[in-house]
Amino acid sequence: MSIEVRKLSKVFADGHRAVQDVSFELLEGEMTAFLGPSGGGKTTMLRMIAGLETPSSGEIYLSGRRVDHLPPQERQIGFVFQNYALFKHMNVFENIAFGLRVQRRNSAYIRERVTELLRRVDLKGLEQRLPDQLSGGQRQRVALARALATEPRLLLLDEPFAAIDAQLRKELRAWVRNLQKEMGITSIFVTHDQQEALEIADRIVVFKQGQVEQLGTPQEVYNSPQTPFVAGFVGEINRYQTGVKNGFTDLGVLKFPIKHQEGRKVIVVIRPEDVSLVPWSAQEDIQAMVLQTTFLGEFFKVDLELADLIRITAHVPKSQGIGLHPKDRVALQIKAYRTFDSSGQLETAVELTRKAVQGESMFPVGEAV
Amino acid sequence: MREQPLFRRRYDLSKMVMGSVVIGYVLLLILLPIGQLVHSTFGQGWSGFQRALLNPSALFSMKLTITLALLTAVINTVAGTISAYVLVRYPLPGKKILNAMVDLPFAIPTAVSGLMLLVMFGPKSILGGALQAKGIEVVYAPPGIVLAMIFVTFPFVIRSVQPILEDMGVEMIEAAKILGAGRWQIFFRVVLPTILPGILSGFTLTFSRALAEFGSVVMVAGNIPFKTQTAAVFIYGEIESGSLNNAGTVSLILLIFSFLLLFYQNYLLNRQRYGWWQRLLAKAGMGRKEKNSEFENWAI
């Protein structure tokens, strides 16, 4: 079911503006992540779609039908709570059957449907356990089966993996992702974990202070962040606040051309993986000294200091990182950078070609926005 | 490093001392008096016990007490559950004060409680006069006893249901809503089963406390044999008239009731996490039992 939200706002009784004037549209059959820091309004947004909170203003449409005035009972939604909210006094079977019993389905149908769901979520044989006797992962799967039992048209998940330990979390999210694809059910999940969002979402909505910062595919959000906040929240960045001098950023050796008024404030954002290190040579534009290297498994994180005390972090491959030590002198090449004006509007986004990276010249090739 | 074993030994010593004190205390204050009561009651042997037990006024007092205590427990369970629900779920003005006032019946001396009811429902008061005009007896009659029992035991059900309701939070209710359950379905299928252990526990406490009530009952209802004489009042009367045997016999019966209720109460508390009715349902409803499950160890 497609979802459309128009100018939705939520002001709580204590005056807190959780969601402010948010509009977006999500497509049928997709898995969307609401990503953002806590207090960003993403859970409130989800609860408004479910009908658990009443919007202060604005409209919500599910499959073109306006639903914001409907109680949660009439929205045909499945909801998985952060702490699962299983009925403690009911066994697994009864938990999953709850929605069907409320609908007064006949018992043969209920038995069949619950058995089918138990098979789907891989909990066969645990029908009679009470929630207290299940592990966190099992509880989560019961919650999922319960939400799916009434064949909702939209599945909402509130931080579904937050309470599960790291190893299991990875498995579960891949599993949830497969289940969602298999059933083709439109889904939204809330998370503050960018990795999770990048990994399993078709589309990401980045929230900040009750507003949507960016909506896009994981690739769009990661590769073309529209604000410095998105750049910093989805992935890591080097961030510099500086001015414009003679048509360039005023960052000493980090001199990037910029089409902007002299003296205006700008923000320059460079991803650590877009900084590559080459052997030191006097010809290179940007020379640096290694301050510290940190082994992070797949790569090394290298903290560097540039000529005029500007610091920058680079992610370099293992093979290269292993030979680096503090006080080593190296040269840098910046493969990509983005500049934003002081209000956070995107100014320039520059990707340099592979050729340039390999060291021939450093003129910008692809320039966007 | 040298401090640690020293500290541990001191701790062990304190454990021993505290343990002995507690055991001695329990022995002196609880077990010895009970033993002495049993010993004195059976001073005239089994037949003396039987005779005292079958004494009509003793029998009447026990029947009256149990009936009225049960009635009290039922009334307070309904009223207390609703009060707890309202106190937890609804944003009332002055809720904190209201919540603190719930405990008042525990704090007020029972004789004072009785006196309050007496002046309120007595023939000289407006309310009491009006009721009397309609031929409804309250004071020096069973309704007065029930009122006194209700007043004194009011906090029990509220205080055993309230924490469970608070602990329950709103998520289960929200989950039920999204699954399509209406107000009544949510109450009967979700809220009530969840708080049932608290309700039962409150019921038991109320019943056992009502059985034992003396001070307020004697104030409101006096000591009229075959009318308002409850078991506790009967015991007092028998001691006044020097019949230790009768008093001891009824005391023992009350004591046995208390033990049974206490036992049941502990049983409930132990089972509260899973709920016996749920296990019964699971057993009856689903047929095949799950191997390796903890159900195996839960035979009731």
Side-chain angles (χ1 to χ4, degrees):
Chain A
M1 140 160 84
S2 65
I3 303 149
E4 195 190 341
V5 165
R6 281 190 211 153
K7 290 182 173 294
L8 205 65
S9 295
K10 175 72 187 178
V11 185
F12 282 107
D14 61 359
H16 172 62
R17 297 173 167 276
V19 172
Q20 297 177 49
D21 206 20
V22 168
S23 302
F24 59 78
E25 211 172 326
L26 303 173
L27 303 178
E28 173 124 25
E30 281 195 335
M31 180 94 151
T32 304
F34 283 179
L35 177 68
S38 45
K42 50 194 185 338
T43 294
T44 308
M45 189 68 234
L46 197 75
R47 289 172 59 84
M48 283 196 284
I49 294 175
L52 296 173
E53 300 285 356
T54 320
S56 307
S57 65
E59 295 150 25
I60 303 169
Y61 295 85
L62 301 182
S63 296
R65 187 170 72 121
R66 189 168 172 187
V67 297
D68 45 84
H69 58 282
L70 292 179
Q73 285 92 334
E74 288 167 35
R75 296 194 188 191
Q76 287 182 283
I77 278 174
F79 200 104
V80 176
F81 288 82
Q82 187 174 356
N83 57 7
Y84 319 132
L86 296 178
F87 303 123
K88 287 180 199 158
H89 58 285
M90 292 182 199
N91 62 25
V92 171
F93 186 97
E94 286 304 321
N95 260 288
I96 298 174
F98 186 87
L100 302 169
R101 292 224 191 279
V102 165
Q103 291 181 353
R104 304 196 193 289
R105 300 294 188 107
N106 68 55
S107 61
Y109 174 82
I110 291 177
R111 181 168 293 265
E112 188 188 323
R113 179 90 184 120
V114 174
T115 312
E116 152 73 10
L117 280 160
L118 281 165
R119 190 188 57 75
R120 260 225 144 101
V121 299
D122 206 12
L123 285 173
K124 259 195 138 174
L126 300 181
E127 294 89 334
Q128 300 198 30
R129 296 274 183 101
L130 287 165
D132 279 359
Q133 299 171 286
L134 299 174
S135 71
Q138 288 170 335
R139 268 180 232 177
Q140 210 234 9
R141 293 194 321 241
V142 175
L144 199 60
R146 183 179 69 176
L148 293 172
T150 48
E151 297 177 71
R153 298 190 297 160
L154 172 65
L155 180 65
L156 305 175
L157 305 109
D158 187 9
E159 307 234 7
F161 313 107
I164 294 169
D165 55 74
Q167 180 58 39
L168 195 61
R169 200 181 320 171
K170 279 194 169 175
E171 285 174 31
L172 259 176
R173 65 191 187 205
W175 178 86
V176 167
R177 172 63 174 161
N178 286 338
L179 190 75
Q180 188 266 334
K181 277 272 151 272
E182 228 174 85
M183 304 184 70
I185 183 172
T186 314
S187 310
I188 301 176
F189 72 101
V190 161
T191 181
H192 55 253
D193 182 346
Q194 46 112 350
Q195 201 58 46
E196 201 167 283
L198 291 176
E199 208 178 299
I200 64 174
D202 295 308
R203 214 162 283 271
I204 297 177
V205 186
V206 185
F207 280 88
K208 182 198 174 191
Q209 288 167 5
Q211 283 170 320
V212 172
E213 286 277 297
Q214 188 169 354
L215 193 163
T217 64
Q219 294 212 20
E220 280 166 3
V221 170
Y222 189 87
N223 292 331
S224 327
Q226 298 298 305
T227 66
F229 172 79
V230 173
F233 199 78
V234 185
E236 281 175 54
I237 52 164
N238 292 289
R239 178 195 166 116
Y240 305 99
Q241 196 137 18
T242 183
V244 182
K245 202 167 139 191
N246 304 325
F248 285 93
T249 54
D250 186 17
L251 268 173
V253 288
L254 292 177
K255 229 172 156 183
F256 303 116
I258 187 162
K259 300 174 289 183
H260 210 305
Q261 243 178 307
E262 280 305 289
R264 284 279 299 273
K265 293 265 175 253
V266 290
I267 296 161
V268 179
V269 165
I270 305 167
R271 291 217 185 272
E273 70 261 30
D274 291 332
V275 180
S276 61
L277 304 187
V278 294
W280 186 84
S281 90
Q283 281 93 50
E284 290 293 345
D285 287 339
I286 311 172
Q287 292 163 358
M289 188 176 74
V290 175
L291 292 174
Q292 195 189 346
T293 67
T294 316
F295 178 58
L296 289 175
E298 297 138 62
F299 57 86
F300 272 85
K301 179 178 150 220
V302 184
D303 295 315
L304 301 140
E305 192 172 81
L306 306 179
D308 24 21
L309 298 179
I310 293 170
R311 293 194 173 180
I312 193 164
T313 300
H315 288 174
V316 303
K318 254 195 281 199
S319 53
Q320 190 180 22
I322 214 152
L324 288 171
H325 301 284
K327 300 230 161 86
D328 280 355
R329 301 193 68 190
V330 292
L332 297 188
Q333 286 174 342
I334 309 293
K335 289 184 279 186
Y337 64 87
R338 303 176 81 76
T339 62
F340 300 89
D341 71 12
S342 51
S343 68
Q345 287 300 305
L346 185 66
E347 288 285 330
T348 49
V350 177
E351 300 264 350
L352 301 164
T353 60
R354 210 174 179 78
K355 213 172 168 192
V357 171
Q358 278 159 359
E360 280 196 27
S361 70
M362 275 202 50
F363 66 89
V365 186
E367 193 160 328
V369 186
Chain B
M1 285 328 276
R2 266 171 60 200
E3 257 92 340
Q4 216 176 350
L6 197 70
F7 175 77
R8 267 178 109 180
R9 235 177 70 201
R10 245 176 58 203
Y11 175 73
D12 279 347
L13 186 67
S14 81
K15 202 163 96 180
M16 272 168 61
V17 170
M18 294 311 266
S20 319
V21 166
V22 170
I23 291 169
Y25 203 68
V26 169
L27 210 65
L28 191 70
L29 278 176
I30 301 173
L31 289 180
L32 283 179
I34 289 175
Q36 190 58 48
L37 177 67
V38 175
H39 179 77
S40 309
T41 306
F42 286 102
Q44 294 174 18
W46 180 250
S47 60
F49 179 77
Q50 226 168 8
R51 210 179 324 119
L53 190 64
L54 295 176
N55 163 13
S57 65
L59 268 182
F60 176 85
S61 77
M62 282 186 283
K63 266 191 218 154
L64 181 74
T65 312
I66 290 166
T67 315
L68 297 186
L70 262 178
L71 184 64
T72 301
V74 169
I75 292 171
N76 260 352
T77 299
V78 175
T81 305
I82 294 170
S83 309
Y85 194 78
V86 170
L87 278 176
V88 173
R89 288 270 177 267
Y90 289 89
L92 291 173
K95 192 154 123 175
K96 275 187 179 160
I97 299 168
L98 204 64
N99 191 35
M101 271 168 59
V102 167
D103 283 330
L104 267 183
F106 280 165
I108 299 174
T110 54
V112 178
S113 311
L115 187 63
M116 292 192 305
L117 290 172
L118 189 61
V119 293
M120 169 127 181
F121 291 99
K124 282 177 196 158
S125 78
I126 300 168
L127 189 60
L131 286 170
Q132 206 171 33
K134 289 192 169 184
I136 302 170
E137 275 186 302
V138 177
V139 294
Y140 303 114
I145 302 177
V146 176
L147 273 178
M149 285 177 170
I150 286 176
F151 182 86
V152 170
T153 60
F154 181 60
F156 282 114
V157 175
I158 297 182
R159 290 297 181 237
S160 35
V161 171
Q162 208 176 13
I164 302 180
L165 265 177
E166 271 164 3
D167 188 48
M168 183 180 162
V170 293
E171 270 107 354
M172 267 158 63
I173 293 168
E174 287 183 342
K177 264 189 202 167
I178 287 179
L179 289 165
R183 185 185 290 256
W184 293 108
Q185 281 173 317
I186 290 173
F187 183 75
F188 284 107
R189 286 174 187 263
V190 179
V191 178
L192 193 63
T194 307
I195 62 176
L196 196 56
I199 294 178
L200 289 178
S201 153
F203 180 90
T204 321
L205 284 168
T206 305
F207 181 55
S208 55
R209 182 69 182 77
L211 273 186
E213 182 51 25
F214 173 75
S216 58
V217 169
V218 85
M219 273 284 176
V220 179
N223 183 1
I224 311 167
F226 299 105
K227 188 177 178 197
T228 67
Q229 196 177 53
T230 62
V233 178
F234 174 84
I235 293 167
Y236 182 73
E238 290 304 298
I239 290 298
E240 289 259 89
S241 59
S243 170
L244 181 67
N245 193 34
N246 285 350
T249 303
V250 174
S251 297
L252 265 189
I253 297 299
L254 284 187
L255 210 56
I256 288 166
F257 254 100
S258 306
F259 272 133
L260 286 177
L261 289 169
L262 196 67
F263 185 76
Y264 175 65
Q265 172 76 10
N266 277 334
Y267 171 83
L268 268 188
L269 281 176
N270 283 335
R271 299 287 162 155
Q272 213 170 75
R273 271 181 64 211
Y274 301 123
W276 55 269
W277 63 92
Q278 195 47 52
R279 273 169 292 119
L280 268 181
L281 283 182
K283 265 190 171 176
M286 290 299 301
R288 192 176 63 84
K289 267 203 291 179
E290 173 57 28
K291 281 270 158 64
N292 298 330
S293 99
E294 286 176 48
F295 281 116
E296 301 285 351
N297 308 325
W298 288 359
I300 323 167

